[in-house]
Amino acid sequence: DVKVTQSSRYLVKRTGEKVFLECVQDMDHENMFWYRQDPGLGLRLIYFSYDVKMKEKGDIPEGYSVSREKKERFSLILESASTNQTSMYLCASSSARREQFFGPGTRLTVL
Amino acid sequence: QKEVEQDPGPLSVPEGAIVSLNCTYSNSAFQYFMWYRQYSRKGPELLMYTYSSGNKEDGRFTAQVDKSSKYISLFIRDSQPSDSATYLCAMMSWNAGNMLTFGGGTRLMVKP
């Protein structure tokens, strides 16, 4: 079974803090994705990566950065957290042109 | 107009009912079609994946694709309270790399 794990299920941070969200997949997938999910707005793509050290902006990259130093790990970084970044963050992975498999999500609250 | 339209619901049915969940799309380049189930405060879980027109069955679930009408459906037979969740359709085209376009999700409630 494909397994995608995320470092935290729930996270509470203060405005201005630097936040790291980690994602690890165990299926040797080339592609990894970060989404945020908000009520009424659905899933929105923040960044994705199709190879180690490669990254591409998604639909809403502002305020975020990513890092992919190893194939199995994809990190999302909030350089200076703001209250409008309170959301559910979902990581996913896939092989080429195949379905995406999601992690359990991290519910981030920024106070 | 969104590329993928999905009625948000909620859809409330009695236990044992047949459920029909639907998505329409506008991009004729979509070739791969997926259905995800998402329980509250959890990540989406892949239910069905298909790339051809017609029906694909897996247990109580049937995915139907009609490319000529740009319409996909997920049928759930003998629905159970444990099927209560949000169902997301997702699609991928050949020329968009590995990106998925998601519907907004339909919330389903199956009442005992």
Side-chain angles (χ1 to χ4, degrees), chain A residues 4 12 14 19 22 25 39 41 55 60 70 77 84 103 107-110:
Chain A
V4 180
V12 179
R14 298 215 171 267
V19 181
E22 299 261 295
Q25 52 94 4
L41 297 176
K55 61 184 179 184
I60 50 163
K70 293 186 178 181
I77 303 150
N84 63 12
R107 184 163 292 274
L108 172 67
T109 301
V110 183

Side-chain angles (χ1 to χ4, degrees), chain B residues 20 24-25 28 44 47 54-55 97 107:
Chain B
S20 172
T24 59
Y25 62 95
S28 58
L47 276 179
N55 294 352
R107 186 174 163 219

Side-chain angles (χ1 to χ4, degrees), chain B residues 42-57:
Chain B
K42 299 285 178 67
E45 167 195 11
L46 182 70
L47 276 179
M48 304 281 287
Y49 171 88
T50 184
Y51 55 84
S52 58
S53 282
N55 294 352
K56 181 177 180 179
E57 194 171 315

Side-chain angles (χ1 to χ4, degrees), chain A residues 9 37 45 97 100 107, chain B residues 36 38 41 43 94 98-99:
Chain A
R9 292 299 312 277
Q37 187 176 35
L45 182 65
R97 290 207 173 90
Q100 292 180 16
R107 184 163 292 274
Chain B
Y36 288 86
Q38 186 175 22
R41 296 179 179 269
W94 276 107
N98 301 283
M99 314 318 308

Side-chain angles (χ1 to χ4, degrees), chain B residues 23 32-36 72 88-92 100-103:
Chain B
C23 288
Y32 299 106
F33 305 91
M34 282 140 262
W35 284 96
Y36 288 86
I72 70 169
L88 299 158
C89 63
M91 310 181 186
M92 185 193 303
L100 286 181
T101 301
F102 288 88

